[in-house]
Every structure is written in C-alpha cells, then in structure tokens.
Amino acid sequence: MNRTLGVCYYPEHWPEDRWETDAAQMVANGLTWVRIGEFAWSLMEPTPDAFDWGWLDRAIDVLGKAGLKIVLGTPTATPPRWMIDKHPDMLAVDANNQTRKFGSRRHYDFSHLGYREEAKRIARLMAERYGKNPYIAAWQIDNEYDCHDTTLSYSDAARTGFQDWLAQRYQSTDALNRAWGNVFWSMQYDTFDQIALPNLTVTEPNHPHVLAFRRYSSDQVVAFNKAQVDVIRPHTDAPLIHNYMGRITTFDHWKVGADLDIASWDSYPIGFLSDRIEGTAKEKQTYLRQGHPDNQAFHHDLYRAIGRGRMWVMEQQPGPVNWAPYNPAPLPGMARLWAWEAFAHGAETVCYFRWRQAPFAQEQMHAALLRPDAEPAPALAEAAKVAHELAQMPEVGTAQSPVALVFDYESAWAWDVQPQGADFDMFRLAFAAYRGLRRAGLNVDIIHPETADLSAYKLVLAPGLMTISDPFRAALAAFDGIALIGPRTDTKTTELAIPTSLGPDLPNADVSVIMSESLPPSDAIKLQNGGKFRHWFEHLSGTGDVYLSTKSGQPAIMGSGSLRYLAGWPDDDTFDQIIGNLCDTLDIPTFDLPKGLRIRDTETHRFVFNYAAKARKWGDVIIPAAGVHWEEI
Amino acid sequence: MNRTLGVCYYPEHWPEDRWETDAAQMVANGLTWVRIGEFAWSLMEPTPDAFDWGWLDRAIDVLGKAGLKIVLGTPTATPPRWMIDKHPDMLAVDANNQTRKFGSRRHYDFSHLGYREEAKRIARLMAERYGKNPYIAAWQIDNEYDCHDTTLSYSDAARTGFQDWLAQRYQSTDALNRAWGNVFWSMQYDTFDQIALPNLTVTEPNHPHVLAFRRYSSDQVVAFNKAQVDVIRPHTDAPLIHNYMGRITTFDHWKVGADLDIASWDSYPIGFLSDRIEGTAKEKQTYLRQGHPDNQAFHHDLYRAIGRGRMWVMEQQPGPVNWAPYNPAPLPGMARLWAWEAFAHGAETVCYFRWRQAPFAQEQMHAALLRPDAEPAPALAEAAKVAHELAQMPEVGTAQSPVALVFDYESAWAWDVQPQGADFDMFRLAFAAYRGLRRAGLNVDIIHPETADLSAYKLVLAPGLMTISDPFRAALAAFDGIALIGPRTDTKTTELAIPTSLGPDLPNADVSVIMSESLPPSDAIKLQNGGKFRHWFEHLSGTGDVYLSTKSGQPAIMGSGSLRYLAGWPDDDTFDQIIGNLCDTLDIPTFDLPKGLRIRDTETHRFVFNYAAKARKWGDVIIPAAGVHWEEI
Amino acid sequence: MNRTLGVCYYPEHWPEDRWETDAAQMVANGLTWVRIGEFAWSLMEPTPDAFDWGWLDRAIDVLGKAGLKIVLGTPTATPPRWMIDKHPDMLAVDANNQTRKFGSRRHYDFSHLGYREEAKRIARLMAERYGKNPYIAAWQIDNEYDCHDTTLSYSDAARTGFQDWLAQRYQSTDALNRAWGNVFWSMQYDTFDQIALPNLTVTEPNHPHVLAFRRYSSDQVVAFNKAQVDVIRPHTDAPLIHNYMGRITTFDHWKVGADLDIASWDSYPIGFLSDRIEGTAKEKQTYLRQGHPDNQAFHHDLYRAIGRGRMWVMEQQPGPVNWAPYNPAPLPGMARLWAWEAFAHGAETVCYFRWRQAPFAQEQMHAALLRPDAEPAPALAEAAKVAHELAQMPEVGTAQSPVALVFDYESAWAWDVQPQGADFDMFRLAFAAYRGLRRAGLNVDIIHPETADLSAYKLVLAPGLMTISDPFRAALAAFDGIALIGPRTDTKTTELAIPTSLGPDLPNADVSVIMSESLPPSDAIKLQNGGKFRHWFEHLSGTGDVYLSTKSGQPAIMGSGSLRYLAGWPDDDTFDQIIGNLCDTLDIPTFDLPKGLRIRDTETHRFVFNYAAKARKWGDVIIPAAGVHWEEI
Ligand SMILES: [Zn+2]
Ligand SMILES: [Zn+2]
Ligand SMILES: [Zn+2]
C-alpha cells in the first residue's frame, strides 16, 4: 500500500497568479494529492447552461503540472442560486414544515427528481470534460451526505416519493396495514396517497411508519449518489469516492459504499469530541486538544469496511475549526498523530482540510496548513514530517484482526424510532463495545450485518442488531470462536415488531428476551462479577448456559457453544472485564494500556499513539504527549 | 362495596380463535371486568357509513359468556383515516400554528363541531346496538382526554368558537375590555371577531385573555363528553365512565365528572414518577421501581371526589411501559400493592392495562399480564393473588376523613397563566400539601371549590385558590375546625385581576396580601420555628392573630378563629411541622411513619403500604419491600 | 446639575376624580416629574382618525397645575387593534416564519413603512397639540426599542427593505458577492431580489450576510425614531428622549441617541440579575434582592455617553417585578440606593415605575410606589427620603474619569454572528472589563468607537472591537496613557472578513493574531502571573514587547509604547491584577473594596454604595446593607 498525503484546495478562492506558488509549496511539503472543485458550481456554470470551464482547466493544469494528483469533486452540495429559481421546490423542508432556505450549502432535497437530474447533468459534463484528463486521479461525488441533517426532508417531493416507495414495497395498503400493525389505533390506510410523512403527529407515529420513512430516505441518498456514479463511470477509470462525515447514521453507508471504489471520511477529532461524542465535561477536558482516543479509530475501521478495504481521510483537521461549540487548538503533534493513526488503520491517503485558511465566509475561522496571510500554520510542518516519515516506511497492508464488530445502519434507525429509553443510541452502543476492544489493545474489523463468513475471526460482537440476517445467522451457526450477541439483538422483525416467538433466534442456543428495561443514569443493574449494566437490561429465559449473572441471580450472559447473548449494556469497566475474559478463553493477547495510549498493528509494525496530554511509558519507551511510536512486530 | 379486578383487552389485535382461551384465562385468574372497543372505530366502520359490527358482536358474546362483565368504550379518540378526508379541518393546531397530523391518536379538535357530530353518531350507534346487551355493564366515553396535550388547539375552529363563547360571556366588547383591563396597552377590541387566540403574541398576552381561552377550551371538553353521554344515556342503565389521565389539569374534571357516573383514571406509577413528578434524580431513584408513594393516593382521592364516591382505576400499570423517558420494571409485588392501595382509597374496580402485550405498533414495549408470546408476565400472578385476597376480605366502604383539601382546576389555569415565579404550579402546591398530610398518616378527602358544608371535617386546607367561591366562603364562616387557607388563595377576582380591596376576603379574619415574592431555588424565607418557605412568599397585613412568624418577624400564618392564612409555600419539613401542630390542636391522631410506609384506613381496616425498596417495620410487623399489610381497626 | 425624581403614571388606568389626589401625593413626596401617555394610543384615537384628546388635556392640566413637569410619550409601541386591520402586514415575523400577533405590545415591524407613517402621524398630532403646552417639559419617543426581541423581523417588509438597503450599499451584486466572499459555497447572487433574509438556512448563513441584516435592522430602528423626532422637533423646545432597556445590543444606541437630547434607560436591577446577567445560582443568590453591583453603573455610564452627558433613569424598579423568572422583593433601602447611584453616575432624573400598581393586565404583579389599594408601598418612603436628601445636596457635575472603555454595537452583532465559541458575547466581555475597573474603585467613561481624542484619559480599554475606526486609530497613535486593546479587537474588516495582513493594525506596535481558540468552561489558559484566560485565547506574533506571558511562554499581553494588546479573556482575578498593574504604572489610585461595596466620585463627593446584604466597613464608617454613604472629596 502506497500511503500518501494530500490537501483540499480551492483555486477559485485565490488569485490565479497564486496557484503555481501554492502547488509548488504543496509538493515541497510532500503532499501528493489535491482535492478541488466540490463547491464551485457557480463558477463552472454561472448562469443556466452557460459554462466557464476555463479557470478549472487552468487550475487542473497548474496543479497537475506541479506533480500533484487531483481528486475532482462534483459540486452538487452547492447548487447555485439560479437553480432555486429553476426548481423552487427543490429545497428540503424541516420537521416543523419550514423550508430550509438557500444561503449556505446542502440546500437540496434528496427526493427531488428534478434536482437529481441537474446533479447528473453537471456530473456528466464534468466527466465528459475531465474523465480522461491525466491529472484527475480520483473523483469525489458530492460532499458529506447528511451533514447539517439533510437526509430527512418533509417536503412534498419526499411525501410523493415515499408514497410511491411504499406502494412498491407493500403492493397493497392491506399488506402495509398488516405489516405496520395499523389496527392498533385505527390507523389503517385505504390508499397510499393517504399516508403522510411521520412528522407532527399528535403523539409518536407508528414505529414501522417512521422506520419505512427512514429506509426510504436512505434509499434516496443511495440513488442520488448512484445517479452521479452512473454518468461518471463511463468516462473514467479513476476511483470514485464519497467523503462521509463522522458519526452519521441516517443513511446506509454500506449501500452507498457499494457503488463507489473508496470510502473516505472527514476527520475532525476535536470538533467531534465537542459536538457529537457523549461524555462528561471532565472526560472531554482530558482529551480537549486531542479528540477522543477511539473515535478516529472506529471510523477508520468502519470506513475501511465500507470501502471494501480502500479507505481515505479526505479531510483531516489541522487546527481549530469553526463549527463546534468550542474550538481550541490541537496539541502540537496531533496533526501528525492523526495522520499516522489513519495510516495504521489502513488509510491510503490523508488529505488535510484545507491548504490555506479562507479569510472570508462561514469557515474563515477554520485553520489550515497556511494562515490567511499565506504564512505556514503549525500543521504544515507536522504534515511535512509525516510525508518525510512515510518515505522511510515500507509499504504494508492491514493486519488481520482477531475481532469483528457488526455495525448496521437499519438498526440505528430502528432504535432512533423506538429507543424505549432516552439514551439508547446504536452508535453509542457499538462505540461502547468498540472502545472496550480497543482499550484491550485489539485490532478490530467492523463488518457488514450480512457477513456470511466469520472464519477469519476468533471473537465477534453483535450488539444492538434489530434482526440477525439469514447469512449472518448461518455464519454464526458455523462459527467456532465466540460470538457475543446483544443486547437488544434480533429482538424484532424487519417491520420493527416483536416476533411472536420472541427473539433472539440464535442457532443452537435457547435464549429469549422476555422483558426489557431502560435505566435512567441514576440506576444500574449490579452483576455478580462486580460489574454493572447501564441504560438497558433484558430479562432472559431459556435453557442456555449462564456465563454471568446479575447480583440478584438473573442471567446476564447466556447461551451455548460459541453463541452468548449479552443481556444488558455493560459500563466501561464491565466491558473490560467481559472482553478480557473472552480473550483469555480464546487465547487472544490483550494489553493493559496506560491511560491515553492506544495501539494498532499493521502487517509489520505495531503503532502506539499517545492521546494523553502527558508523556506515557510504553515498555521502556517514553512517548511524549501527542507522540507516535512504532516498532516492528 | 364489591371490589373487583379487570383488564383491558383488544380482541381486534388477536385471532378470533384465541378469544375464548383468553377469556377463560382471565376468569381463571380472578378477573371480573374486561374493557374493550375504545380504539376500534376503523373496524366498526371501515368506510364511511358502512359498518362491520360482527366481530364486536362475537367478541362481546365470547367474553360475556365466559362470565366477564364488559366495559365498552366509544372509539372517538381514534377516528379512522377517512374521517380526515371528510373533515379536513378537524385536526388540532399547535401553539406554533402547525397542524397536528393523523398517524397516532387523539387527532381531533374539541372545538370542531363537525367531528363532535361524528362522535355523537358513532356513540349513538353503539348505544343503540349494545345498550341493552346484558354483558355490557359499563361504558367508557372516549379515552384519556387531554393526553398528548390535546385540550388546547389554535385552529380556526377554536378561534371562531372562542369568539362566540366570548360574545356569550361578555355580551359587548366594552364589557370584555373592562373585564380584561385592555386599556393597559391599548389592547381594546371593537368587535369580537378581532380577538385572536392568545398564542404567538409579541410578549405575553393579557392574562384574562389566556384564562378565558383556558375556560373556553375546558368547556369544549365538557361539551364533547356530554354530547356522547346524551346519546348513550337513553339506551342503557349501565354507568358511564371516563378514564382520566394522571396529573392533567387542562380541563375541569369536576364538570366532566358531573355528567358521568364513575370517575376512573389510568394509573402508571413508574411512568408518572419519571415524566411528570418533580424531584431530584436521587429522590426519583429511591422510588424508581415503585412510583411516588403519594401520587397514586392523591389521584385516588381526587377521582373518588370527582366520581362523587365512585372511583375506578381503568388502567393499572403491570410492568415497564413504553412512553416515559426511562422504563424500568416494577419491583416484584408492586402490581399487587398498587391494586390494594386503590381499593383502600375506595376504588371499586382496578383494571390492568393490558391483557397481552401487543407485539406491534407504538406500545409494543408496554408490558401486560401476558407476554407477546402469550406466556404469563410477572404481573399476572400478582393480579391473581389480589383476586384471591379480595375474595377473603369483607365488603367495606370508605372511612370518613378528618381532613379535606380543596382542589380547583380554574386556579390551576390562573397560575399557569400568571405563575409570577417559574416553578409555581397549582398541582405541585396542592400535592405538596397532600404529601404532608399523608406523611402524617391521615385519610384525606379532596373536595370541590364550591363545597358548602365542611362539618364533616376537622381540618381543611385550601392552597392556591384564585378565588374563594361564595358557598365555600359561607362554609368557612360556619366552620368550627381549622381551615388553613393559602398561600395565594382568594387574591384575585374571577377575571384574574387583583381585587381593589386586596384579598383574601376571609370571614371574620382581617388579613391582606400586600406584596408577593417568588423565590428561586437558591432562596428561602426562614421561619421562627426553624422551617422555611420556598417558591412563594406573601407579605401580609391586618389585625389577625399571628400564629407563626418569619425569622425576621413578618407574619407567616395569620388569621383568627378557625381561619388561618398561610403566607408561603412550606417545604416538606415545614409542612410536617405545621400539620403536626394543627392536628395536635384538633386532636387528630398522626403517625411518625418510617420512610416509604404509607397508611390508609377503610371503615374496618388499616392498610399499610411499603413503597420502600427495603423491608420496613410497622409496630412488630415486618413489611417486605412492595409489601401490603392490613389489620382491623 | 439639578437632580430630580419622578414617576411613571397612567391616568387612563384610574378614575378621573383620583388624578388630583395622586398628583398632590406625588408632589408631597418630592417628585418633580411625571411620565404619561406612552401606551394610550387607543384612548387618543379610539377609531381611525377620530380623536379623543379631552382626557389627556385634562390629565396634563391636573398634573401640571399640581406642580409637576410632564414627560409626554408617543404611544407608538402600542398601536390600537384597528391599526392591524388597516395594515395587516405590519406585524413582525419571527425567525421561524411565524407572525407575531396582536395582544400585548411592540406589535409592529420597524421595516413597515406604512406603520412608520402612522407613527409619524400620531407623533405629529401630539406635537401640534402639546408642543407648546407649558407643562410638557420633555418628550419620550416610543418605549424600550427592541424589548421582547423586536428589532429583527423576518417579514416581507423586512426582506424588500433589506434588498433595497443592500442595493444602496453595494450598488451591484458583483460588489456584494466579493464583499461577502460568496464564491465560498457557490453563494453568489445575480440580482438583489434573490437575496433572502438569513433565517432558516440549511446550516449557518454567510456571516457578512447576517451582519448586513443586523446593520439594516438597526438602521430601521434609527429611522423609525428619527421619523418621530423630525415631526416633533419643529413644535417643541423640550428635550426628546428614548427610554432604552438594559443589556440590549441589537440596534446602535449611538445612532439613535445622536438624534435625541437625553438618553434614558429603564433600570430593573433585580429583574436583570435574574434574566440577563451571567452568573452561577450561588453568585446570583448573593445579590438576589440588590441586583448585580456593577450592572446599573455600567448602564449609567453607557447611557451618559449615548446622551452626550445627559442621562436619566426613566423607569426605576421599586419592588418585585412580574417578568423575571423569579421576582423577589428588594432589600429595604435598595430603592434609595439605586436612585443615589444613578445620580452619582450623572443622572439628571430618576423616575420610579410606576406610581400605583395596576390591579389588572400583564403587569398587575409589578410593584409600584403605591399598592393597588392606593396605600403606600415600601418604595414610596425611600423615594421621599431621596427627595429630601437631594434638597440638601449641592448641585454638582460628573467628575472626570481617568479611565475609558470603548463600547461598539456593530462589534456586538459581529460576534453574535461569529461567536466562534459558544459563550463569546460582546456585552459580556465589555462588562467583564468594566467590572474589573469598578472593583478597583475607578470612575469609568464609556466611549464611542470613533472617539478621536483620548487626551482626557490615562487608561483606555478597547475589548472586542471588530475593527478599529480611523479616528480611533489616530487617537491611539497620539495617546500617551496606556491603551489595553483586545482580545479580538481589529481582527476583522468591516465586512467581517479576516484582513489579508491579519489584525490588529495598531499604530507603532507590531502584533498580529495568527490563530484564535475558544475555550469551554472546563478549560483555561494559565498565565505566568498565576492568572487565567477563559473563553478566548489568541496566538500572537510580532516584534512587540511582551508584558505578560502564558505559563507555556506565549505572549498574553504584547505591544509597544502606549499600546498593548491583550490576547485573551481574563477571569475576574486576572482582570484585577492586570488593571491593578496598569493603574500602578499610570499612578491612578485604586481601592481594595470590601465585597459588595462600590464607589463613584462626583466633582465634590465620593459616594459609597453597599450592595451586600450585610453591613460593611468603609474606613471607620459602617454602612448598613443597602446603605449609601457620601463624603466630600
Ligand atoms: Zn468539511
Ligand atoms: Zn392509556
Ligand atoms: Zn418598562
């Protein structure tokens, strides 16, 4: 694997006579890739059907001739203002029925077929023009789907699209009424056009109604992306990429990813710690200038899977951002650490966002590799150092992980719709499991919920799956490691009902969830081993073996053979204990890592990352704050 | 009094061949009553004016023949989807002007006269068909008025109805302008149709304007209920019932209750603790799986009064519910305790909600007596135990209470409109007083604000009444126990103005409220006796006797003869002290109850309920957690 | 200076035969001024163009003949209900696109030119009638601009007005696109009528777009005020006044003030502490019944500047108010202390709000000098005492302050639009600096951001200015005291972009802000002197002298000669240290004041105010809680 660095660049923001200087400086600092174009529709097509490609031709030329490989983005996240005149109903509508206006970005409705055609049109024109351009080495489709909560729209376009989608899926309202249990509150429909979007109901709408809308909405993202893929693909051999945003679960990344060649994501460790990771103020203070030590790793592993092994970081935070509630600067060294961590997790390329800080508009306070006055910002030297180090390192692949964690987007929607307890959240649960694995020093693969072969793994975790798919159930039946299933896994049908026989349906293990409890933060279920379940606890019955009990004697882990069902949500210490025991049983070596240290193995090296704000010892090595250490395995 | 148990059942949710089994099992477990029908409009009238009564005929037959008495509900809380096509403007509108859509339940506007006719129509048809059916032993009208905040609507129907109601009440806008003090900010109206609903004003609307809208809205609930009563009554001798929800004050239950024969309510002790009772997280943790130890008692006493002595629990929580922020399971024994407590407070019947857990739709995570797979859930055995115990107990009536507490819905609206301090709430104040009485082990009657005869009582509490009614003032004048009036009682006119002479107007007691203070949680008014006022404090003047002073020498309780005005909101310890002193004076015996124990006397027995999560001693008896003890008096 | 007291009075709220009694009692208690008329439009013009001036003629006559000087208010904050029929689109629209309805006050849109004409019409008619009336000694225009968030409206009138304003300002959309950096997300406009108001965008709108709307909206307030000034001025020689509300920054008070003769403000120390001043519950409890000890002083000093030396308190809190979250009563003595503090800061007149508590409508729980039953409320005696004391005092002017603090409204908007950290707020920053100065016992002048001459001052603070104006930059260049500039000062262009050269541009001092960090409450930047920066920290570069460093060695104060740039937001102790050091350097005497004591010098006297709830020592003098002490200098 040829690891490389890159940067996001906006030639349209700078005088043309600056481009050559910028390009040369990128190359001099060891950058290989430059991403351009993804917000520049208004300059490509200033008025409808009147194009100005000249500036882009020249920018590509300058950058390419300087030796840079170009990722060209389709600009469909920022349609020009005239587009709104052409398609006044293309704007999304929020859950309070308010139109989400022009004036920033992502101002389009995934359900609007007119706009989808426009997106195809501009993508096709770009592909026709630049598909064979030797400098264009990759394509980015759109930018950060769902950023700013843009997957769900309550527009007329969404309503009619949803009704049509329902008609396709259920064929008759009778079938739909049965599937949704609409008998419950006299909610039956007689025709599909009676079915409204599930917002603003008197009390909560029927759960399968909302789940169907979530599925429909995800499908529109998939279709929107595929529409562009289909028109670009014929013109280029370069890989097609989307840059996903962190902790977004509103559309099925597995499905979008299936149409693309590489999964990239935008990694803002400090911003994410501030605005989308659970934790007390004190916990967040510990990692204030480093980001959560497991969040980047989780996303790397997730997107490596979604990219079927090919993963990039398309945007890497280089300094303070502008969009989190508070925006402190990274510790010196973090811009290097984050890049190396990405590479250790299999990233092919890490692009910093952005080359030079824009002095204007919404992101003017977002740091870059250069300051607004074109002087180097702190991250430039760190990037250059990484480039230098990369040149010394052998090319290696990703090591085989002994552990797999299943992650499923449909389940995330299911529990959004039916949390049953205020803080039940699929990402949070999966991330809690992942953090336990990572604190134990394990390489982890995140796997698809329909994974049919688990033979590469010794330990598999499957928390919070709404259902177990047929292929995965077959894989579990054949598995000879240990699978820790649950909590809340396979306790529903695909229509978000409770199966008549009660779930889960585990091959050869008699376990049923007979009652579920959600727990407020003040409460916990104490376990025999001194641990605790928090947030969630399920009462189990069955004839399976009990591997762990609650203090009051109820089953906490129950199953037989290789399958064990976990009846609650362990707190961090309990996850450590459970994972430690399972690894002991399975002869998987684990580590007792000092606070803030994390490790990741490649085929040849063990990487050690110090997320602490202080130096930490790794064996005899002292790793400074924000330091990276590697050693051959 | 013949105490009985029952259950809520939805034959339409299950295969018809299951009904007989279910009915037999109900009877075998000692259940006497079964409530059906209240959400099944779409099955009774699948399309407009085309009826299918067959299934309901058969269900009634099966249940009745099994020996069950049936409560038949009118299904007007869940009009079918076709009704919206017939009356597109029948949906309520929220305070932000958004229509509250179809897709759950209670999707109707109490002001919509077209829908009111529809409700009458279906009720009349049901009454005509089943009024003489021998198995139908009671009727339920609609379901949980105001649940999901449905009393207030800001629709066109509400606006025109309100204008008409204003015209009836005030006859001229001049009278209205004078009554409301509209001179204040040039707010005078020239015609009634200029008067909008009091939402979305620039700053708060005039308080009497809002109070009038609250009165109007309550009147619509009363009228909606009465419309159904009027068409059912001619066809049946069975009692008519509504099932009120807990802690709802948006309509006048006294007035709705006056048109009915029995007041029932839906008792969800754990859900209510979580979502509608004040308390710190720590306090709530103490009773997490039991519910607040005074909340059920308060509602029993309230609804016993509203039912003029006849009270039921129509829905009794049996296990975890689905709708509170967190939904833990009850302690083993609570499903029994709650039932016995209801009986001790005079309930004739307690119906568990529901027979079998629905595996589909919004309430699929709501536990029942049976699990979704038809196996017994924990509450079934507890219900059966209660049934068995009931059979052993003598039939007795409610004991005379020595204490009465006045509760008034209009006052609740007045203080909603004019809280003056962020946490002033009528229910909260009345409940604080009630809790003090109950901690002292007293039987309490809740009484109507126009009660004209207090001779049965030794102690009367009248906190937070906007006005004192003429009959109640006369009763006070004749009272020879002690009445503790206030805080904030009789300090307003019926139009929510301050009376020129300042209130309260207590017979033979010269006390005036000359200034009011609301207090933040950080503050308190210290009293001479070591106690504290919180939330609210009134400066009194007058020539009355001072029974208690603040530490700084202002009157805290002042009055003369049997009437004493309480100038603030005592905290719990202070209420205990004040109530203790009054009971000593009046020779009312009180108890020093261990934490979590509560008592209630019937004519023959003293019942002791242990709401604690640990065993408690009652004399020599050890009552386990969630235990019930009774002894003859 | 002839200091006087007054009161706000509403003759229209009381029987006409009461007016004489009231007037006589006002005079007997030493009141000189009475403000009337500002909410009485519906009585002046009960129906369109049909006037009833008689009652007002008689009220003026009664009050004037009693010896009172009258402030006559234009009633434009409360247009009558018929006005809405005449101009249905005159109501403002909130940020969620909801029309803000009639039913309280301030129900008009500053952008609505039809209503602006109506306001001019009534003002002109009043001026024509009463302009030469000998009893009318001052005019108040409207009432509390922006109260209830009324500056910003998202109406059609606002949108078309904004588009026109933009066309005037930028002349071409090309110029606007360049100025705003609209190239950033393809946000360019082709015509001005494409530019919407900046609400409800998908993510945050472009910052200069919002800043332009804030400037436009402020301009409408200025124009609305000036429209009335222009029609009144020709008819009267009496001073024109507006009564500003506390802590309102949504319009440029400097510009409104420039068209008026006196700046007055409405001082509600206890209400403001509760609803608009930062602080923990514990800090607020300390001053619960006194108000924040620096808040009134800040506003006095601010409005004294805006009034170009002429400042009044038009409404002075006399007891509990009705509108804060909690409304406790003032400590006895505070109604006197607040008045004396206002006089010490240069107030000419202090009017209590209001004469007699209204028993009806929204403010019925707002205390006054008389109770609703016309008996004296506690504040009456305190007012009378102040009147008596005033009569003993010499007439003196305001002392020259050694210190000036720049306050700029445009900067407040800029940081509202681009806070970068959740708790960055211009008022809060300026107030933090002011509080430090005041804790040091200093007289402070608040000065205009274009102040061209600083020679009267030794120390100047300029925190948080978006830009430094040319006149102020020139004044700084000539200044021979010390100016402490920053944080965040002059780091932007007037279009809220980062200047290419990076700011600040300080004459003769090489300092640049190269990176900015916002800090969560859990974090702080430690300084070498033991102090801390909170909320905000800027990384500086340049060749200036470093006067203070962070603990890690970065510049915290840097500059040269008289100009020093402050790189962060000091906490209170750190402000004390920095101000102490600067005053030592500059030979400005400071004080070590006991907690709760504050001082203010006039030309002849030093006033000492005890905001503590306990007695405090000032030298040998013991000042009781809420006490005022003065001594000759
Ligand atoms: Zn981005
Ligand atoms: Zn219910
Ligand atoms: Zn005011």
Side-chain angles (χ1 to χ4, degrees), chain B residues 541-622:
Chain B
S541 80
T543 59
D545 301 323
V546 174
Y547 299 92
L548 179 65
S549 296
T550 69
K551 217 175 152 189
S552 70
Q554 293 177 279
I557 300 181
M558 190 181 185
S560 47
S562 61
L563 303 192
R564 303 185 185 181
Y565 190 84
L566 174 63
W569 184 322
D571 68 10
D572 283 1
D573 288 346
T574 309
F575 253 132
D576 288 344
Q577 248 187 303
I578 292 172
I579 288 165
N581 290 342
L582 291 171
C583 288
D584 284 354
T585 307
L586 292 162
D587 274 329
I588 304 172
T590 59
F591 296 83
D592 192 14
L593 294 169
K595 209 182 160 204
L597 280 201
R598 293 294 187 275
I599 64 176
R600 169 81 192 179
D601 292 348
T602 64
E603 281 176 347
T604 55
H605 289 79
R606 172 155 300 154
F607 282 81
V608 189
F609 305 100
N610 184 7
Y611 266 93
K614 292 179 183 168
R616 296 280 185 230
K617 284 186 83 167
W618 170 255
D620 297 334
V621 182
I622 292 177

Side-chain angles (χ1 to χ4, degrees), chain A residues 505-520:
Chain A
D505 177 13
L506 300 184
N508 311 316
D510 175 25
V511 185
S512 294
V513 173
I514 57 170
M515 181 161 67
S516 302
E517 299 191 63
S518 54
L519 312 175

Side-chain angles (χ1 to χ4, degrees), chain B residues 105 143-144 266 268 315:
Chain B
R105 62 175 178 176
N143 185 77
E144 296 176 350
D266 295 348
Y268 292 95
E315 301 182 8

Side-chain angles (χ1 to χ4, degrees), chain C residues 374-564:
Chain C
E375 293 299 311
L380 183 65
E382 297 192 24
K385 184 173 179 191
V386 175
H388 185 76
E389 290 167 336
L390 276 175
Q392 325 288 319
M393 287 287 287
E395 295 188 11
V396 290
T398 306
Q400 173 60 43
S401 300
V403 184
L405 173 73
V406 186
F407 189 80
D408 176 37
Y409 290 90
E410 294 219 347
S411 300
W413 310 334
W415 309 141
D416 282 356
V417 173
Q418 189 181 96
Q420 179 66 9
D423 51 17
F424 198 99
D425 173 274
M426 180 65 189
F427 185 97
R428 186 178 182 178
L429 172 64
F431 189 45
Y434 182 89
R435 289 187 285 114
L437 296 168
R438 188 160 151 89
R439 281 192 303 269
L442 299 166
N443 269 27
V444 181
D445 280 357
I446 292 180
I447 61 173
H448 191 282
E450 294 182 342
T451 299
D453 180 3
L454 298 170
S455 58
Y457 303 106
K458 292 185 173 175
L459 175 61
V460 171
L461 271 64
L465 301 184
M466 178 175 70
T467 58
I468 291 179
S469 67
D470 288 344
F472 186 57
R473 197 181 324 273
L476 286 175
F479 187 46
D480 60 4
I482 295 180
L484 187 70
I485 314 286
R488 216 173 176 175
T489 290
D490 205 36
T491 57
K492 298 286 167 179
T493 70
T494 54
E495 288 292 348
L496 196 41
I498 299 174
T500 319
S501 53
L502 304 185
D505 176 13
L506 300 184
N508 310 318
D510 176 23
V511 185
S512 293
V513 173
I514 57 169
M515 181 161 67
S516 302
E517 300 191 62
S518 54
L519 312 175
S522 61
D523 197 52
I525 301 291
K526 291 183 186 166
L527 305 179
Q528 229 173 14
N529 65 357
K532 282 176 186 166
F533 285 155
R534 293 205 165 269
H535 312 306
W536 190 259
F537 176 56
E538 291 165 341
H539 297 241
L540 304 182
S541 79
T543 58
D545 300 322
V546 173
Y547 297 93
L548 179 65
S549 296
T550 69
K551 218 176 151 191
S552 69
Q554 294 176 279
I557 299 182
M558 189 182 185
S560 48
S562 61
L563 302 193
R564 302 185 185 182

Side-chain angles (χ1 to χ4, degrees), chain C residues 95-115:
Chain C
N96 289 314
N97 277 350
Q98 298 293 341
T99 298
R100 304 181 70 183
K101 291 159 67 176
F102 180 88
S104 59
R105 64 174 176 176
R106 302 208 53 69
H107 39 278
Y108 68 87
D109 193 325
F110 281 105
S111 288
H112 193 276
L113 300 181
Y115 181 64

